[in-house]
Amino acid sequence: MATDNSLAKATGPISKTGIVLWSSTPPEIYFTRKETRQLALLSLAFAFVFLYPILCDSAVTGPGLGAWILRPQLSHFTGIPSDGADRDMFTQLRWVPYYTLAHFHQLPFWNPYKCGGMPMLGNPESAVVTPFLLLYLVFGLIPGMLLEIYLHVAIMFAGCYLFGRELGLVPRAALVLAAMFPSSSWLSLHIAVGHLNFLSIAYIPWILALLLISCRLRRWHLAILGGLLCGLTLTEGNYGFAFAAMLVAIVAVWYAMVGLSIRPVLVASVIGIFAIAFSLPKLVPTAELLKINPRDWGISYLTWHGILISLFSRDQDLGHPLVASFFFSEYACYLSPPFVLLSLIGTFGYMRKSFPWVLGAIFFFFLYRGDIGPDSPTMLLRQLPLGGNIGLCGRWVIPLFFCLSVLAALGAEVLCERPREWGRRLAGILLVLGVADSWVVCAPNYRYLFQPAMPRPEAFVTFRQYWSAFPVPLTSIAMAGMGSTNCGGVGYTVPRGAVLGYNEQGYRGDYYLLDAGNVTETLWTPNRLSYEVSANEPTSLVINQTMYPGWHLAHGDGLVYPENGLIAVRVPSGRQNIELVYTPHHIIAASVIALFAVTMLIVVWWMEMRSIRKTHSELKTS
């Protein structure tokens, strides 16, 4: 909220409430309770309006509006997106942590329900280290998922508005950024196919805003808080972390150059260091998984024709024909004409302020084009550690679109700074038209999240592996108490080795001895397995799950080793209890560092707040 009582006096008319309508000089910025309440309500309302189609019938396909909008399906609150696509994969990535915590009362380290067993915490697309996991524990799987989506969209809207205000924009211009970025098809299409790992992008505008606030107020706890949010972009997904790091670098370098100050670079460094510290509980097992089982998509690129269709076609429906080597949803990001006009106005009307965002847009555009040559940016990124895991090039359209959204907000600022009323009215009209157009073109895709579920296999009381001719539905197989051995091409995977389903030839059981003897399972949980073994001679206990670093013997005599890719324990003769436990490598050290980072945040915040109170107290007494 900028007022005439600010330290930096503003020129121009002032409303009766003290709000500066326009100003040629940037006033001091702070938020009143009223503006904060209005922002919270507007963020929640925006998220509700754009996400409303998620409750509608997906049977009516095709672009545009239809009769489906009048028939909300309340059954979606209890349905399972288990239709055999990525929706099912990400639903399983939510169900496993939820069920492991709620039913087994264990931390979700291991996922026995996929690929014959693979890390849960180390899966780059999982969301375990996140406060939103509490929503699943409180409300259940599907209500928790819907709340997670809804709140992330609201957080994205509010963060964009806050960042716009920190850029010195008037509220109307900041609303352009807040409404444009989450309203495009990049978000609705990814949610439509179940890509919940993209929700963590909601924190990016907050991170950038905290960078600027920390520099302006000279408060380091705000930079550490930005590191916490940056860490969440990794612990809740994967791509958001790379996008955030690049955008923070662009903003920090530009403000350091313009202000001839090293502080923005120092603040960005603090954000980066604490982002790594906060994310270590997931970063360490994820790095191990990608090192052991790298995921290389190969060549990925877009033609100019594909770019034009992806950005400007009004047919942004999920069923749109392919424009590149993969589904349309991976490349599409609708640019509404009113927002395009505002972006052009911002580019040429605010040359100095728009410069870093123009450079950012150009940089991300070349990444968006993909592997167009041996020296293309994407090819160079593959030379970085874990860079070979860079996915489809179309996903770089998201930070590109963010830069364009900032340019559009700057365009609205240019119009709002005109002394005459027509400039502010034109900015408002373009904002309304852009939002309405984006809703009509992009929001209908949300209804595709809930598709008719595939048949659920017969449930079993005891866990067993299961072979399905089709790699999915992973969620239904898991809820039936079984692990899917056929999950090739479904997200991040590990080789199943010799893991066999009970319905495959050669299946010997989900645990057995290689030689004569008896073995009885006394406990089965995702992270902990117990067996009573009786053998007349040394033998090996084999568990029908994938062997992976982190499985170790917690009780009993023996040696854990891989038996044809399976978990095995070489045991001596005699009768004993064998207990196997899975714990990710270095997870204790990673958690200690993350807790230390939390402690640092609290301590620095307390010290800086104490300093502020002391300064105010001295001013009052003087």
Side-chain angles (χ1 to χ4, degrees), residues 190-222:
H190 277 298
I191 298 303
V193 295
H195 291 170
L196 303 184
N197 55 323
F198 287 91
L199 290 175
S200 65
I201 293 170
Y203 302 119
I204 290 179
W206 286 91
I207 298 166
L208 298 175
L210 287 168
L211 168 65
L212 298 185
I213 299 173
S214 178
C215 292
R216 176 168 61 85
L217 299 180
R218 298 178 179 268
R219 299 285 181 260
W220 291 106
H221 77 275
L222 296 171

Side-chain angles (χ1 to χ4, degrees), residues 236-250:
E236 291 188 7
N238 41 5
Y239 288 96
F241 186 79
F243 300 162
M246 292 180 178
L247 287 168
V248 165
I250 291 172

